[in-house]
Each structure stands twice: as C-alpha cells, then as structure tokens.
Amino acid sequence: MNCLYAKILDDLYYIGANDRQTTLFENMWPLPEGVSYNAYLIRDEKTALLDTVRINKVDGFVNKVLEVLDGRKLDYLVIHHMEPDHSGCITDILKLFPDLIFVGNKKTKSMLYDFLELTPDDDKFIEVKDGDVLDLGKRQLQFVMTPMVHWPESMVSYEPNDKVLFSQDIFGGFGTVDGAIFDDQADYNIFRSETRRYYSNIVGKYSMMAVKAIEKVKQLDINIICPVHGFVWRENPQTIIDDYEKWANYEVEDGVVIVYGSMYGNTEGMADHLATFLAKEGVKNIKVFDVSKTHASYILNEIWKYKGLILGSATYDNSVYPNMYNLLNVLKYNKIKNHVLGIFGSYGWSGGAVKDLKAFAETGKFDVLETVVEARGTMHKEEEEQLRLLAKEMAEKLKEK
Ligand code: FEO
C-alpha cells in the first residue's frame, strides 16, 4: 500500500507516500533515489487535511486518511499548491467527503477548475489572503502567500501554538523517506545533494521569489517544518532554512565545474588538461562532466554549488555541440549568476563552438576569464600553455573574496 504514517504531535499526523516507480519527476528529472509526497492531517474540533499526494499513490493514501480520521468526517482540505504531485487525490477525497470545504487562495480556486474541473460553490471554498487565519479549535492555521515558489498559487501555513510551518515545496527535496521521516532519525548529509538538485532544477529559476518567501517565513518562530517532499524537520529546522537561503541567494563555494562536449576526445583531452592544471594551482574541488553522458540536472546541481564554471565544446556543423547547446539553455533558463566563467573548445574545420560559447557568456551575469582557448582539431603545445593560463586565472579568481 506504500503509505507512510507518523504522529508528529498530538492530533497532528504525517501521511505521505514514497514513489520509487516514477523514473522522471515532471517527466524530466531523473529520480534514482525516488521522491516522497507528504501530506498532513490535523484532528481538532474541526479536521483538516493539508494537501494530498500524486494519483499513483491514491489507494494507500485514501486508506490512511480514513484510518487517521477514525470515523470522523473531513471538514477542510487545505490546498497549499496545485501541482499534481500534491493535488492528484483531491477528487478522490472529495468523493469520500462531499461536504468538505476547500481552503485556498484566489488562484487556487481557478486552478481547481483548470486542472480538475471542480467548481466549488462559494460556501464550499474559503478564499484566504496573506495573514488570514483558519480556526480549527485548539489549533489555527495562518496563511502566508509565497507566489512562484513553486507556482503562482503556492502558499504556506503556520500553526502558532506548536510553531509548525507547513511549507509545501519550499524546504523539500528529492529522495524517498526511507524509514526516517524526521530529520533527527537520519543523516541529512546523505540527502543534501538530492535536496539541492531538487532546489536547483525545480525551484531555482524562481530564486528571487524564493528569497522573498524565505524572508517572510523567517519572521515566524518555527519549531517544526512540514514540507511536501522529504523530511519533517523537528530537531534542527534551521539547517534546511540555511541551505535554502544559501541556494536562493546563489551563494557558492570554492571549486570548479568543467563541462565538455566532445565527439572523438579532442575537447575531452583539453578538459582533462584543464582539471590537472587547476589541481596544480591548488583548486581542491574539481568536477568534470561529459555533457553527453550526465543528465543536465546533475550538472546544474554542481554548478549551483561551485563558483567556477568552465565550458568546453567541439564544433559541430559550424556551431556549439548540440548537447552543450541544451545545457546552455538550461543555464540561461535558470538565470545562473555569481560564477566565474571560462571558455575553451575545438575549431574543427570551420569554428563556431567557441564563438557560440562567447555569445552565451554575454547573455548572463558572469565574470568571464580573459583567456579563451580554441584548438584547431586536437590540442597542440600552444593551446596546452593557454589552458595552463586559463586554469591560473580561474584559481586566482577563486581566491578573491
Ligand atoms: Fe512538489 Fe511544485 O510540486
């Protein structure tokens, strides 16, 4: 049945599902370690379900909702976010509890029709704005709008008595919850990279809005964070707040990511030489990726982490190598900034790759290194020395604070 269950506090329950079957999140992003969809249920004078899970987990989820309700009816279904990984079971829940009242904002209401063809009457939908409160009895939910993190209708809610933040996508990550539902039950370092890959690929393009959302929630006194993916943070919620704040502000660490596109090894050879020269210059964190082999989501994840980025490309039909072209689009789309950028490539018989990489460099907010290396065909002694110079320039830039 694959439905997870845990008591967080008296009458506050985690009910979520691990998804190890779906191979691509949003049908794009590989999920080798799966993903969890988290929902929460409050039993008070009124009962409230906070979000649902993706439809492929409906059976176990519905059973768990019924089990936790223990014969009571569901009064409210709070919708923090309408993306189908969380709204997927709304229709099934409504069939079970036709008298339930939806709680969402104005955009949520229109999306209920857009995505699920639901048109609740005014007395079946409580429309909330920033600061509005839903009274459940002993507990209340205060609503905070967090538009574009991740969708325009995205919002979070805060329970002030127990200081619990229901944060929807914010503070979430890839990876199933394997036995450990709470942060104190596992080593977050095992999950940190998958959490950053989730942030950089799913939320990263909206980082400006994420900064605003984090500023808003930081005003709250938080004991527990309940996101819709990944751990419930009850021991050290500040850890995930700090990580998200760092990623949203494009704060980077010392290190260099080299990404190359190469058909027959000439450009790859230049990348390997560069990595060696960087190591000789004392750069400790060096990651080299073949753009044709590693999925862009992993490359973006490492680029999000490290300050240095060096792109190398073979020329393919007078242009940058097609798989590198795809990566450039990913970087443009995600508005990558605060990076030192180096460029190298192979001219082939016509040139084009380096020209395209230079044009890309002009589209973003990069600190572009002066030395650009272009080999005609394979690398010769002259280009080797230029690569040494490029590595030196990068190492010096990393030392600047
Ligand atoms: Fe996890 Fe934007 O949905």
Side-chain angles (χ1 to χ4, degrees):
M1 140 168 140
N2 187 0
C3 191
L4 302 159
Y5 161 83
K7 178 177 166 181
I8 300 172
L9 296 169
D10 282 348
D11 293 323
L12 168 58
Y13 297 89
Y14 167 96
I15 42 171
N18 278 329
D19 187 351
R20 299 188 182 89
Q21 288 82 43
T22 300
T23 54
L24 297 172
F25 189 78
E26 295 179 343
N27 209 22
M28 278 187 285
W29 319 109
L31 288 173
E33 295 178 44
V35 67
S36 73
Y37 313 118
N38 304 339
Y40 302 91
L41 211 153
I42 299 172
R43 281 190 324 208
D44 205 320
E45 289 166 28
K46 298 285 187 181
T47 60
L49 175 62
L50 280 58
D51 301 302
T52 72
V53 299
R54 197 177 164 192
I55 190 63
N56 58 335
K57 298 294 169 187
V58 65
D59 291 344
F61 180 71
V62 164
N63 288 341
K64 196 54 68 181
V65 169
L66 293 171
E67 191 179 320
V68 175
L69 283 172
D70 193 22
R72 292 185 62 182
K73 71 180 177 70
L74 183 65
D75 295 305
Y76 297 116
L77 174 45
V78 179
I79 305 168
H80 293 103
H81 182 22
M82 274 297 294
E83 189 165 5
D85 51 335
H86 310 296
S87 66
C89 299
I90 286 178
T91 306
D92 295 83
I93 295 293
L94 184 62
K95 277 183 197 154
L96 281 170
F97 302 102
D99 294 329
L100 71 78
I101 296 174
F102 291 108
V103 182
N105 54 52
K106 192 172 182 177
K107 288 194 170 71
T108 319
K109 193 170 187 184
S110 63
M111 284 185 176
L112 269 178
Y113 175 74
D114 295 342
F115 284 86
L116 299 171
E117 292 194 275
L118 296 175
T119 52
D121 293 337
D122 285 348
D123 63 343
K124 295 291 179 194
F125 189 98
I126 296 176
E127 189 177 305
V128 293
K129 302 183 298 299
D130 238 344
D132 284 355
V133 175
L134 179 72
D135 193 357
L136 300 174
K138 291 194 277 300
R139 290 192 168 105
Q140 294 81 40
L141 292 174
Q142 295 176 356
F143 295 95
V144 179
M145 300 300 122
T146 55
M148 299 319 298
V149 198
H150 166 217
W151 278 14
E153 86 301 354
S154 289
M155 64 180 195
V156 303
S157 62
Y158 176 69
E159 202 294 304
N161 297 300
D162 294 304
K163 301 175 179 170
V164 184
L165 179 71
F166 298 97
S167 64
Q168 52 103 25
D169 275 351
I170 306 171
F171 308 130
F174 287 144
T176 49
V177 288
D178 295 340
I181 288 170
F182 299 98
D183 63 319
D184 49 282
Q185 296 174 318
D187 181 357
Y188 170 56
N189 288 319
I190 296 171
F191 299 91
R192 183 173 257 134
S193 182
E194 277 297 88
T195 307
R196 192 181 53 245
R197 192 167 68 90
Y198 169 86
Y199 177 84
S200 54
N201 286 275
I202 307 300
V203 183
K205 65 189 77 61
Y206 304 118
S207 283
M208 267 178 57
M209 300 304 284
V211 169
K212 288 183 184 170
I214 294 165
E215 280 305 314
K216 273 181 158 179
V217 301
K218 272 176 65 182
Q219 309 304 316
L220 305 167
D221 185 10
I222 297 170
N223 281 348
I224 302 174
I225 294 178
C226 297
V228 289
H229 300 290
F231 290 137
V232 171
W233 294 82
R234 67 179 177 186
E235 185 175 79
N236 196 1
Q238 196 59 41
T239 300
I240 192 69
I241 294 173
D242 288 347
D243 269 2
Y244 257 66
E245 195 165 29
K246 177 178 165 185
W247 300 332
N249 283 295
Y250 296 90
E251 284 177 28
V252 282
E253 301 172 19
D254 277 355
V256 179
V257 176
I258 301 172
V259 193
Y260 67 87
S262 184
M263 285 172 282
Y264 295 105
N266 292 318
T267 310
E268 181 184 18
M270 295 172 82
D272 276 329
H273 273 75
L274 252 178
T276 305
F277 295 146
L278 284 167
K280 283 182 179 166
E281 291 291 337
V283 177
K284 298 282 185 228
N285 299 307
I286 305 165
K287 294 266 191 173
V288 181
F289 293 103
D290 179 341
V291 76
S292 296
K293 182 183 172 192
T294 305
H295 191 276
S297 66
Y298 291 91
I299 299 174
L300 182 67
N301 183 24
E302 296 299 324
I303 291 172
W304 216 278
K305 182 175 181 183
Y306 292 117
K307 185 175 181 181
L309 170 62
I310 304 182
L311 300 173
S313 175
T315 294
Y316 192 90
D317 291 342
N318 309 324
S319 303
V320 77
Y321 188 60
N323 292 350
M324 178 59 73
Y325 179 78
N326 289 340
L327 181 70
L328 299 183
N329 276 339
V330 169
L331 299 181
K332 272 192 230 172
Y333 184 66
N334 283 284
K335 304 183 178 81
I336 287 290
K337 58 184 177 186
N338 198 22
H339 281 72
V340 180
L341 177 65
I343 292 169
F344 70 98
S346 173
Y347 181 91
W349 70 84
S350 64
V354 166
K355 178 168 67 70
D356 286 351
L357 289 174
K358 282 181 177 173
F360 163 76
E362 285 169 14
T363 65
K365 292 181 180 170
F366 299 109
D367 184 356
V368 185
L369 296 174
E370 190 180 332
T371 298
V372 173
V373 189
E374 186 171 35
R376 290 185 82 92
T378 193
M379 180 181 65
H380 305 87
K381 199 68 198 164
E382 185 185 336
E383 287 89 45
E384 189 179 323
E385 288 312 309
Q386 288 177 332
L387 288 171
R388 199 187 299 276
L389 185 59
L390 179 58
K392 191 175 171 58
E393 285 174 17
M394 176 61 86
E396 280 168 5
K397 280 285 180 189
L398 294 185
K399 285 178 200 149
E400 291 176 8
K401 291 295 172 196

